[in-house]
């Protein structure tokens, strides 16, 4: 019996170590350009750029499929930052994708909410809390102001109001520089 | 030479793993909705089964049998097959992104497939040597692939057919699989091992 225990311990450890070593050795680097483009995008996940989220849009920019002027939440400042990064000419925002607006936040008129959960399903960042036939509410700190919850609401009880506190939502493991730049952009947008 | 041909004919047709031995039925039902997916799955299975037959033969012949631990072959085979498939996936991802894109999602799926383990255990049971084991695995996977692709082609047509409402989806799929198994019974006796 001890042979079996020892054998499988050794076999398991060897295979585990081997796989760990192989994972290091054969690691595939993802395209660093995509990461850097993604870091400049506002992470609202609003889909106004015609891509499902910021990361897919970053991939499309990196592969040359999409121009850099399709991100209204990023605004002109975002386009300039992207142009600097990629060495391109800054373009005016494409009006087909929407207008640049100050940072906003969704607010649910709680007396009118019928608890249909449609806005919960539409929210790309899970910022709406609620359950079927229960009142819903927006977690202000999580809301990116993407407007995606407005169309599905059957009773039009969601309003977009300008955000009071600056919106900072750093990605996990991201450096403080980005948080700071988001702050600056928010301040600019709020002031203008 | 005849022996090797016999192994191939036997595993692909006469003792088809899916329709005669009823192994690997979940990918057979699960991945047969579209013919592209079925082809990807078949190629990945071909790859994994050949590799896993060889590695499990080596484990059994050089480690388990000398130590008298044959009763642990199921456990050992799972361990080695899973590790080998993982390693293959990593190497493939690094060295051949194209192949990885075709097979990538299917590789880990197959690892714990009963057909993979079945082939490894049958190899031990039938006392195959290394080459025979590899060929047996290859043949089993080829048989699986042929049947899977044929079945996927039929299901693509079935999706447009006017099936009675209670039979739509899985029921008509299972009936079709049963009819295919019946047809494959015609090959029995073609090769006997």
């Amino acid at each position: 019996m001890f042979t079996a225990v020892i054998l499988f311990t050794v076999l398991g450890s060897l295979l585990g170590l081997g796989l760990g070593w192989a994972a290091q050795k054969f690691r595939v680097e993802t395209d660093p350009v995509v990461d850097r483009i993604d870091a400049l995008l506002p992470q609202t996940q609003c889909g106004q750029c015609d891509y499902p989220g910021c990361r897919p849009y970053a991939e499309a920019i990196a592969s040359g499929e999409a121009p850099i002027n399709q991100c209204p939440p990023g605004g002109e400042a975002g386009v300039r930052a992207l142009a600097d990064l990629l060495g391109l000419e800054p373009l005016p925002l494409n009006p087909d994708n929407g207008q640049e607006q100050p940072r906003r936040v969704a607010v649910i008129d709680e007396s009118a909410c019928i608890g249909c959960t449609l806005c919960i399903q539409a929210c790309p960042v899970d910022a709406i809390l609620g359950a079927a036939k229960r009142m819903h509410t927006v977690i202000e700190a999580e809301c990116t102001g993407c407007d995606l919850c407005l169309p599905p609401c059957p009773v039009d009880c969601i309003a977009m109001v300008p955000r009071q506190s600056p919106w900072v939502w750093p990605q996990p493991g991201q450096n403080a520089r980005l948080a700071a730049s988001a702050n600056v952009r928010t301040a600019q947008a709020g002031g203008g | 030479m005849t022996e090797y041909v016999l192994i191939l004919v036997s595993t692909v047709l006469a003792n088809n793993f899916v329709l005669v031995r009823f192994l690997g039925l979940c990918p057979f039902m699960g991945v047969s909705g579209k013919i592209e997916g079925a082809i990807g799955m078949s190629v990945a299975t071909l790859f994994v089964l050949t590799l896993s037959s060889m590695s499990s033969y080596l484990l059994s012949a050089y480690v388990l049998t000398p130590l008298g631990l044959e009763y642990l072959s199921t456990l050992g085979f799972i361990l080695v097959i899973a590790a080998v498939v993982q390693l293959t996936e990593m190497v493939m991802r690094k060295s051949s992104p194209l192949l990885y894109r075709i097979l990538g999602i299917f590789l880990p799926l197959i690892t714990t497939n009963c057909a993979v383990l079945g082939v490894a255990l049958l190899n031990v049971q039938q006392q195959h040597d290394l080459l025979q084991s590899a060929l047996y695995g290859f043949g089993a996977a080829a048989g699986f692939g042929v049947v899977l692709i044929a079945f996927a082609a039929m299901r693509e047509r079935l999706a447009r057919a006017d099936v009675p409402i209670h039979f739509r989806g899985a029921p008509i799929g299972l009936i079709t699989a049963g009819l295919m198994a019946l047809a494959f019974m015609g090959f029995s006796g073609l090769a006997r091992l």
Side-chain angles (χ1 to χ4, degrees), chain A residues 1 3-5 7-8 11-12 15 18-20 22-30, chain B residues 59 63-64 67 69 71-73 75-76 79-80 82-84 86-87 90-91 93-94:
Chain A
M1 189 196 88
T3 349
V5 173
L7 173 72
F8 273 85
L11 200 63
L15 289 173
L19 282 180
Q24 295 275 315
K25 166 116 182 155
F26 296 106
R27 173 177 310 172
V28 181
E29 285 85 18
T30 47
Chain B
L59 178 76
V63 182
L64 294 180
L67 292 173
L69 294 174
Y71 65 97
L72 285 174
S73 24
L75 199 63
L79 196 64
V80 169
V84 169
Q86 283 269 307
L87 184 69
M90 285 178 206
V91 176
R93 192 168 181 185
K94 180 85 178 176

Side-chain angles (χ1 to χ4, degrees), chain B residues 113-134:
Chain B
N113 186 328
C114 54
V116 177
L117 194 60
V119 167
L121 291 172
L122 283 169
N123 270 329
V124 175
Q125 203 182 45
Q126 303 188 354
Q127 298 178 334
H128 287 151
D129 61 28
L130 181 62
L131 185 61
Q132 285 170 329
S133 297

Side-chain angles (χ1 to χ4, degrees), chain A residues 86-185:
Chain A
L86 300 168
L88 298 170
E89 289 296 310
L91 301 163
L93 268 181
N94 187 343
D96 292 345
N97 296 102
Q99 301 294 320
E100 183 178 358
Q101 285 170 329
R103 289 282 180 201
R104 296 176 308 158
V105 61
V107 172
I108 293 177
D109 177 0
E110 292 167 354
S111 57
C113 174
I114 56 171
C116 67
T117 73
L118 289 177
C119 56
I120 296 181
Q121 292 158 33
C123 182
V125 293
D126 285 346
I128 301 179
L129 205 64
K133 299 196 178 162
R134 296 285 179 274
M135 180 195 83
H136 302 346
T137 194
V138 175
I139 307 170
E140 195 191 332
E142 301 287 316
C143 176
T144 64
C146 68
D147 293 0
L148 288 180
C149 51
L150 300 185
C153 183
V155 292
D156 286 336
C157 70
I158 307 177
M160 302 302 295
V161 300
R163 182 178 276 280
Q164 302 302 319
S165 53
W167 176 73
V168 181
W169 189 37
Q171 287 177 336
Q174 207 176 17
N175 55 20
R177 185 181 59 81
L178 278 158
S181 76
N183 249 335
V184 171
R185 275 213 302 278

Side-chain angles (χ1 to χ4, degrees), chain B residues 178-193:
Chain B
L179 290 174
M180 274 180 89
L182 213 57
F184 264 71
M185 286 295 171
F187 290 116
S188 65
L190 194 65
R192 201 158 282 151
L193 273 182

Side-chain angles (χ1 to χ4, degrees), chain B residues 11-25:
Chain B
T11 46
V12 177
L13 297 175
N15 287 318
N16 189 286
F17 264 72
V18 180
L19 294 179
V20 181
R21 288 189 193 273
F22 304 118
L23 288 171
L25 282 176

